[in-house]
Amino acid sequence: MLINNVQIGGDPELFLREKETGKIITAEGIVKGTKSKPFNFDPEDEFACTSLDCVLAEINLKPAKTKAEYYHAIEKALNYLRNTIPNNLEVVALPAARLEADQLVTSIANTFGCSTDKNVWTDSSNPRPRPMGNLRSAGCHITLGYDNPNKTVNSMWVKAMDLFLSVPSVIQEPMNERKALYGKAGAYRQQKWGAEYRSLSNYVLSTKELIEWTYDNTIAAIDFVNEGNSYMLNDEADIIIDAINNNNEEKALYLIDKFKIKLAA
């Protein structure tokens, strides 16, 4: 097995919204923590943190060895946010939103905090997105830790994640503008403990079913690599990239059928 002793975590991002008006509100001044110094809201769990990322509330997840642990880590962080933000606000999993001008007046609201990531298909750095007017987007970065990680295996896993998560998301994800900023095929970062997959939006946090589907298909991507199937993706690279980057449903359905990819019910 190339990927053994698996731990799956992540750092999803979420919007805050006024319950009565539906207006998206910047998380600045509401959510504690920064990218460089996250706020640890549970002293007994070093991974349980929040931080501000542009206008978004970001949560950090304790790496999980089971689906139940993964779901619990997400709910734990979401419940903390729900219980600490003002009562007139709610936490929402929207892949993209356009904010009113009064929410974008600070430098933080106009700074995309993440450093550049890489494209696994080209092995080159992705350009760092710049704010496009009032458009902001939210991701669900998924992290993989495993024994003796290396770049080659990381790359196999990221390509498989494109197939098992971002391709079916072309069919499942609500229409949004996120891919004008983030979410193109093969976005990832190498890490000392494994890799971080960065293409997926936060729509997968919308329901328990989607959260569990995300975990299941992440495991399916790992199994795909461990079973020696990664070579199959080389011939399908152009189709995978086009399906994801251009929301090509016809090609996404072709890949879903060919590789028997599970969709959320």
Side-chain angles (χ1 to χ4, degrees):
M1 294 176 64
L2 297 173
I3 304 176
N4 194 30
N5 192 23
V6 169
Q7 297 185 73
I8 298 170
D11 56 350
E13 302 160 341
L14 301 117
F15 286 101
L16 303 184
R17 182 172 66 188
E18 286 186 346
K19 296 177 183 176
E20 185 174 340
T21 66
K23 180 179 180 178
I24 300 297
I25 302 297
T26 177
E28 187 174 355
I30 299 174
V31 172
K32 296 180 180 180
T34 64
K35 296 290 288 185
S36 60
K37 191 176 181 180
F39 172 71
N40 179 220
F41 62 85
D42 181 358
E44 296 183 0
D45 177 0
E46 63 177 316
F47 296 97
C49 297
T50 62
S51 60
L52 176 70
D53 187 350
C54 191
V55 298
L56 302 163
E58 182 174 300
I59 57 176
N60 295 99
L61 310 177
K62 183 177 181 178
K65 294 186 175 182
T66 68
K67 180 164 55 178
E69 289 179 356
Y70 181 73
Y71 178 75
H72 173 74
I74 292 173
E75 278 300 293
K76 176 180 178 178
L78 290 179
N79 284 333
Y80 168 77
L81 285 178
R82 292 167 182 145
N83 292 329
T84 54
I85 61 176
N87 291 334
N88 67 316
L89 300 181
E90 60 185 348
V91 181
V92 289
L94 295 175
R98 290 190 175 272
L99 280 68
E100 296 181 16
D102 64 343
Q103 301 300 306
L104 300 173
V105 296
T106 69
S107 61
I108 291 176
N110 290 281
T111 301
F112 289 0
C114 290
S115 57
T116 56
D117 52 24
K118 296 193 74 173
N119 181 334
V120 75
W121 299 101
T122 63
D123 197 31
S124 60
S125 295
N126 290 318
R128 182 174 177 176
R130 296 181 178 181
M132 296 179 60
N134 63 347
L135 177 64
R136 300 295 182 270
S137 67
C140 181
H141 308 150
I142 299 174
T143 60
L144 170 68
Y146 63 102
D147 290 344
N148 304 313
N150 66 78
K151 180 179 178 180
T152 299
V153 175
N154 287 346
S155 296
M156 292 178 183
W157 174 69
V158 171
K159 291 177 180 178
M161 290 288 279
D162 266 359
L163 178 65
F164 283 89
L165 283 155
S166 287
V167 165
S169 292
V170 171
I171 306 301
Q172 296 180 164
E173 183 176 16
M175 292 297 294
N176 64 81
E177 299 177 273
R178 179 173 180 261
K179 287 180 183 175
L181 299 170
Y182 291 102
K184 298 296 177 63
Y188 81 112
R189 287 204 186 109
Q190 302 280 357
Q191 302 288 1
K192 63 181 179 180
W193 33 256
E196 176 188 14
Y197 182 67
R198 297 173 54 80
S199 297
L200 200 62
S201 86
N202 70 357
Y203 91 96
V204 293
L205 299 180
S206 302
T207 65
K208 183 174 188 287
E209 175 187 76
L210 281 168
I211 292 171
E212 292 182 340
W213 172 84
T214 302
Y215 183 91
D216 287 341
N217 279 35
T218 298
I219 295 297
I222 293 167
D223 291 342
F224 189 83
V225 173
N226 282 338
E227 291 164 5
N229 294 321
S230 295
Y231 72 93
M232 300 172 66
L233 300 184
N234 295 329
D235 292 338
E236 305 289 354
D238 290 344
I239 296 176
I240 292 170
I241 294 167
D242 184 39
I244 296 170
N245 290 357
N246 299 310
N247 292 315
N248 189 318
E249 294 190 6
E250 181 180 355
K251 291 184 178 179
L253 289 170
Y254 158 77
L255 293 164
I256 290 166
D257 180 66
K258 177 173 181 177
F259 292 96
K260 308 305 178 189
I261 298 171
K262 174 186 175 183
L263 295 172

